[in-house]
Amino acid sequence: MVLTNARVIDGTGGAPLERATVRIEHGRIAEVGTFDGSPPDAAVDLDGRTVMPGLIDAHAHLSSDISRSPGFGPPPPLKGELPRPRELGYFVLAKTARTLLAAGITSVRDVGSYDDEAIALREAVRLGIVEGPRILSCGRIISATAPGGAIFTTMYREADGPDDMRKAVREQLRRGADFIKLMATGARSVLAEDPEPAQMTAAEIEAIVEEAHRLGVRVAAHVEGLAGARLVVDAGVDTIEHGLSLHRDPALLDEMARRGIVLVPTLSTFHDLAERFTGAFAPALVEQAKRQLEEAYATLIAARAAGVTLAMGHDSGPPGENAIELVRMVEGELPALEGISAATHGSAQALGLPDAGTVSPGAVADLIVIDGDPASDIRMLLDPRRISMVLQGGAIVAERPRARELSAA
Ligand SMILES: [Zn+2]
């Protein structure tokens, strides 16, 4: 397949290539060149539209619990209705997968789901039962015994002491996890947890990282306060999730940059708690989130200045609106091309997928075609009518008429 007469944003942060041609062979990009005005036979003329890597959400919770996605799933049950069968949840998951793909999300890293739903969905996609993005799952989140365990139930595997941490890592691999996620600090959404101090000991975190890396999988660390951040950087985790306090310690950000630890700022989740779902959370948590929201934006700027690799993680709902996180990163003063790079190349690094997230020879042809130039108006990525094509491994998996054809209809 050849896409021609296109603007290419390659995902590395460089200037767009105008009037370009992208040749795809065997699911991978074979060549990116200039369009000389005589397209080869069967080339798809994109008429100046933008080709860029598919978006990658590095922090998602694939779940049939749609409480953060009002309107996405079935309407809430009414009193008097029969209880909903639990299996309905799997149809919600299938809808989630299709919706993500249509929105241009070609890979997703699930950082915790209930009852191993993300692993079930990953297998459904892998086996071709439902269409969806490539999914990586952590299995269950490894946490110290903590109040969050009482709230997040089957999303967590509570463990205590280095040996139990090792066992918890091994259990996740037995479940089919692709990587490991740990809770280095408490969570901002749990009233009985203080997100500032480290929740695990240094020895516990080191045991998880050592076990995971020895067995060949990566480690994502939930981090809010600085004490936890210092422990996970020392232990050599691969990604820091949230990490909002990092702006308070520039030397630690320098160390992250030096070691290639990716930061997933998840701005949207702080908007959720501080602004969007204020009626649903304990008031003290809403007040805390307002402070954290400011800190998260301060950390975005400080991390960029330190040269830390950034990734896009929505950590919110509904599925398909993930690019709002990219918009927020850009509104938080990340230049648009850098924001796009975070949502593609940076996220691919977070997932440990060196052959994804760029439009360059050898990369897997997970691509989206945008009707317009997202570098000049990043918000167009939120408009489904602008996503005119989604390719996965070189195959067209979603296609829409262009916006002007829609408006003419
Ligand atoms: Zn999360």
Side-chain angles (χ1 to χ4, degrees), residues 33-83:
T34 17
F35 170 58
D36 60 9
S38 55
D41 287 349
V44 181
D45 188 336
L46 292 181
D47 195 17
R49 284 178 285 168
T50 301
V51 174
M52 56 179 273
L55 300 174
I56 300 175
D57 192 336
H59 188 122
H61 298 276
L62 299 170
S63 181
S64 60
D65 170 5
I66 41 92
S67 52
R68 288 205 288 182
S69 307
F72 181 81
L78 298 171
K79 282 195 189 306
E81 284 187 338
L82 285 173

Side-chain angles (χ1 to χ4, degrees), residues 64 85-96 114-118 120-121 130:
S64 60
R86 192 265 175 272
E87 291 77 3
L88 263 187
Y90 292 101
F91 295 92
V92 174
L93 290 165
K95 179 183 172 186
T96 297
Y114 293 102
D115 301 324
D116 303 323
E117 285 184 337
L121 185 60
V130 298

Side-chain angles (χ1 to χ4, degrees), residues 106-135:
T106 51
S107 295
V108 172
R109 186 177 65 150
D110 178 89
V111 289
S113 69
Y114 293 102
D115 301 324
D116 303 323
E117 285 184 337
I119 290 176
L121 185 60
R122 180 195 69 194
E123 291 305 287
V125 171
R126 186 179 70 81
L127 296 168
I129 301 166
V130 298
E131 288 190 330
R134 166 164 36 182
I135 294 168

Side-chain angles (χ1 to χ4, degrees), residues 59-61 68 111-112 141 155 181 188 222 241-242 266 269 314-316:
H59 188 122
H61 298 276
R68 288 205 288 182
V111 289
I141 301 168
M155 191 184 282
K181 161 112 179 266
R188 69 206 165 278
H222 169 108
E241 313 300 309
H242 320 301
T266 67
T269 194
H314 186 210
D315 197 13
S316 183

Side-chain angles (χ1 to χ4, degrees), residues 150-274:
I151 293 175
F152 295 113
T153 61
T154 63
M155 191 184 282
Y156 274 21
R157 161 48 159 109
E158 288 170 289
D160 298 286
D163 283 350
D164 200 18
M165 295 296 169
R166 281 184 201 280
K167 186 170 187 202
V169 169
R170 293 171 184 175
E171 281 178 9
Q172 302 325 302
L173 299 179
R174 184 177 186 270
R175 285 181 191 285
D178 302 287
F179 68 100
I180 297 299
K181 161 112 179 266
L182 64 85
M183 298 294 289
T185 70
R188 69 206 165 278
S189 53
V190 178
L191 191 56
E193 289 186 359
D194 180 351
E196 278 301 317
Q199 200 174 54
M200 285 184 180
T201 65
E204 287 174 330
I205 293 172
E206 283 160 15
I208 291 173
V209 174
E210 201 266 342
E211 190 70 14
H213 284 176
R214 185 169 51 76
L215 295 171
V217 295
R218 295 164 64 81
V219 179
H222 169 108
V223 172
E224 298 190 34
L226 262 189
R230 291 185 176 126
L231 292 184
V232 302
V233 171
D234 277 352
V237 299
D238 300 286
T239 68
I240 288 184
E241 313 300 309
H242 320 301
L244 60 122
S245 62
L246 286 162
H247 71 99
R248 301 181 216 152
D249 188 349
L252 196 58
L253 285 167
D254 290 341
E255 181 68 4
M256 284 177 66
R258 198 182 64 74
R259 298 180 73 150
I261 300 173
V262 180
L263 175 66
V264 194
T266 67
L267 302 170
S268 300
T269 194
F270 300 105
H271 285 278
D272 275 2
L273 226 78

Side-chain angles (χ1 to χ4, degrees), residues 315-337:
D315 197 13
S316 183
E321 294 188 8
N322 312 57
I324 187 66
E325 178 69 16
L326 166 53
V327 169
R328 285 174 167 148
M329 290 170 94
V330 172
E331 289 175 351
E333 292 181 18
L334 212 61
L337 286 168

